[in-house]
Amino acid sequence: MSISVYSKLPNIGTTIFTTMSALAVKHNAINLCQGFPDFEMSKRLVSLVNEAMKKGHNQYAHMCGLPALREQLASKVNTDYDCTINPENQITITPGGTYAIYTSFTSFLQPRDEVILFEPAYDSYIPNIEINGAVPVPIQLSYPDYSIDWNLVKEKINHKTKAIIINTPHNPTGSVWSEHDIQQLREIVKDTKILIISDEVYEHLIFDNKKHFSILRYPDLFERSFVCFSFGKVYHCTGWKMGYCIAPEHLMKEFRKVHQFNSFSCNSPIQFALAEHLKDASQYKELGNFLQQKRDYFHNMMMQTKFVSLPSYGSYFQLFNYEKISDENEFDFAERLTKEAGVATIPVAAFYKNGVDHKVLRFCFAKKESTLENAVERLIKYLQ
Ligand code: GLN
């Protein structure tokens, strides 16, 4: 007889990324569902890790992250975002951006606190909030431009509102905040104790000369924020699961209390390698153009199909509406495309608590041109 437990996440199943990737493998489908590149990462960075291992950097790193890496990061963000981050007490290296977000929530949420989030939302946010006994308060982005209706945000704020989680460039829609959004946020949180979690993992994957409005640029917002970043998205190594969080000292102190008894520290040799590799800013400065070309390449080929594109200004993703092809719901259509056309995508309904269905799928274009070509060929053949 098995001993039953009272689930801490009774309404949560397996993440859509695992589900769809497994389906893709089973049916030999091209994986445009999970957000990861299939092209090579920097050979230099790989050899730097190798060298660090050979030099014997194989034991625990500092709990907060290798000091040399934190210093390098401080100098990067201070230049990029015109801020004055202190590597000593405002940066912690984490095993991935998702972990940084979870740890931020866990370091301050109390049962019954409310957290505002914008849907469609990356699928870890709600479980992260609920596992802390707090209450997610989803606000829908307006369709089809996925912008924020700030009046709705004002309506949802009350004395229980503990935090707002924001994400720009946005997963899954590829929308990007304007300065107007930042100004609205500033006004709304001014004179409140509301905290901000800012998911900025796609900071450098931004297109069409758009600017990334990092929270780090605004001292009045930063003083109440946890800002989360990812190395995987910057250096094409999502499997390394490395990221970092930047927060003011009093918040970072609480973050570190949780982190030290969870993963404690992160992969040592990779931190040595990143500290060296980060010195070359050109690596991440070219990223926007590089991914923009992929977006355009994929988009132009997709115009041969009846899929209708929604604009993507950043991230790895572009949404396509399939109303002209089918009236099935998103889950059924995505499943059929995977099994029968051999192309795996993500139903955007998976990013809503109550499964809103606009008949749109998320495609990841961070792939080799040949992968994108094969995928579109399969779609054309199947849908003709
Ligand atoms: N962030 C990636 C995506 O949105 C995948 C994350 C994951 O698989 N957990 O596809």
Side-chain angles (χ1 to χ4, degrees), residues 115-118 139 148-159 161-166 177 179-196 215 220-221 223-224:
V115 180
I116 289 178
L117 65 132
F118 300 100
I139 294 178
I148 294 176
D149 178 345
W150 287 100
N151 286 325
L152 270 181
V153 183
K154 281 179 205 152
E155 280 169 25
K156 293 280 182 188
I157 287 182
N158 63 60
H159 66 282
T161 310
K162 191 60 172 274
I164 302 180
I165 177 159
I166 64 170
W177 274 38
E179 196 148 28
H180 169 77
D181 292 309
I182 291 280
Q183 293 310 343
Q184 294 290 316
L185 181 65
R186 286 175 114 164
E187 264 167 48
I188 282 180
V189 297
K190 183 176 76 188
D191 303 327
T192 74
K193 290 189 172 155
I194 295 173
L195 298 174
I196 296 165
I215 289 297
D220 55 323
L221 291 176
E223 68 178 16
R224 55 174 82 234

Side-chain angles (χ1 to χ4, degrees), residues 192-210:
T192 74
K193 290 189 172 155
I194 295 173
L195 298 174
I196 296 165
I197 295 185
S198 187
D199 174 352
E200 302 187 13
V201 301
Y202 297 104
E203 61 181 323
H204 295 300
L205 309 181
I206 190 159
F207 319 134
D208 306 323
N209 297 319
K210 296 245 179 227

Side-chain angles (χ1 to χ4, degrees), residues 37-282:
D38 71 344
F39 40 84
E40 269 194 60
M41 63 170 298
S42 151
K43 285 200 169 59
R44 176 172 182 261
L45 183 51
V46 171
S47 24
L48 284 170
V49 177
N50 222 297
E51 274 169 38
M53 285 181 169
K54 285 184 188 153
K55 279 188 194 152
H57 297 306
N58 297 306
Q59 308 310 327
Y60 294 127
H62 191 292
M63 183 268 276
C64 308
L66 187 75
L69 176 56
R70 281 184 281 141
E71 274 157 33
Q72 205 54 52
L73 282 172
S75 119
K76 172 192 183 291
V77 295
N78 290 342
T79 312
D80 286 355
Y81 302 127
D82 197 16
C83 48
T84 53
I85 299 305
N86 179 346
E88 184 85 20
N89 50 33
Q90 297 185 319
I91 304 182
T92 299
I93 310 298
T94 60
T98 305
Y99 175 105
I101 294 165
Y102 173 79
T103 307
S104 304
F105 276 133
T106 304
S107 64
F108 67 83
L109 278 181
Q110 303 284 346
R112 289 175 292 286
D113 281 346
E114 291 188 1
V115 180
I116 289 178
L117 65 132
F118 300 100
E119 285 189 327
Y122 183 57
D123 76 339
S124 74
Y125 300 166
I126 288 182
N128 283 186
I129 295 164
E130 288 180 339
I131 205 156
N132 283 294
V135 182
V137 178
I139 294 178
Q140 285 186 25
L141 296 171
S142 12
Y143 182 78
D145 65 351
Y146 295 102
S147 60
I148 294 176
D149 178 345
W150 287 100
N151 286 325
L152 270 181
V153 183
K154 281 179 205 152
E155 280 169 25
K156 293 280 182 188
I157 287 182
N158 63 60
H159 66 282
K160 286 187 261 172
T161 310
K162 191 60 172 274
I164 302 180
I165 177 159
I166 64 170
N167 169 217
T168 182
H170 185 250
N171 180 8
T173 69
S175 65
V176 163
W177 274 38
S178 64
E179 196 148 28
H180 169 77
D181 292 309
I182 291 280
Q183 293 310 343
Q184 294 290 316
L185 181 65
R186 286 175 114 164
E187 264 167 48
I188 282 180
V189 297
K190 183 176 76 188
D191 303 327
T192 74
K193 290 189 172 155
I194 295 173
L195 298 174
I196 296 165
I197 295 185
S198 187
D199 174 352
E200 302 187 13
V201 301
Y202 297 104
E203 61 181 323
H204 295 300
L205 309 181
I206 190 159
F207 319 134
D208 306 323
N209 297 319
K210 296 245 179 227
K211 179 170 163 182
H212 174 54
F213 291 102
S214 174
I215 289 297
L216 298 180
R217 293 182 193 275
Y218 306 92
D220 55 323
L221 291 176
F222 177 64
E223 68 178 16
R224 55 174 82 234
S225 298
F226 295 86
V227 191
C228 303
F229 298 95
S230 159
F231 290 110
K233 309 292 187 303
V234 176
Y235 293 123
H236 313 316
C237 51
T238 60
W240 286 10
K241 291 301 298 175
M242 291 290 283
Y244 55 104
C245 180
I246 304 187
E249 185 176 359
H250 69 288
L251 296 181
M252 188 45 82
K253 204 171 138 200
E254 297 304 317
F255 182 100
R256 288 175 176 177
K257 285 184 195 172
V258 178
H259 168 67
Q260 69 185 342
F261 296 123
N262 196 359
S263 91
F264 175 67
S265 66
C266 300
N267 188 301
S268 277
I270 290 181
Q271 292 192 66
F272 277 89
L274 285 169
E276 184 56 36
H277 201 59
L278 261 174
K279 291 179 185 162
D280 177 9
S282 69

Side-chain angles (χ1 to χ4, degrees), residues 39 204-207 233 236 286-296 315-316 365-367:
F39 40 84
H204 295 300
L205 309 181
I206 190 159
F207 319 134
K233 309 292 187 303
H236 313 316
E286 285 156 17
L287 217 51
N289 279 339
F290 175 70
L291 261 303
Q292 180 175 327
Q293 277 169 30
K294 295 203 174 285
R295 177 201 64 178
D296 294 344
S315 81
Y316 277 158
F365 53 75
K367 304 287 174 188

Side-chain angles (χ1 to χ4, degrees), residues 15 17-18 33-36 98 122 171 202 233 317 351 362:
T15 159
F17 306 116
T18 304
C33 54
Q34 206 173 14
F36 65 89
T98 305
Y122 183 57
N171 180 8
Y202 297 104
K233 309 292 187 303
F317 313 111
F351 299 100
R362 188 193 81 169

Side-chain angles (χ1 to χ4, degrees), residues 143-146 173 299 308-312 317-321 360:
Y143 182 78
D145 65 351
Y146 295 102
T173 69
H299 179 261
V308 176
S309 66
L310 280 76
S312 164
F317 313 111
Q318 179 145 31
L319 303 187
F320 286 86
N321 180 297
V360 280

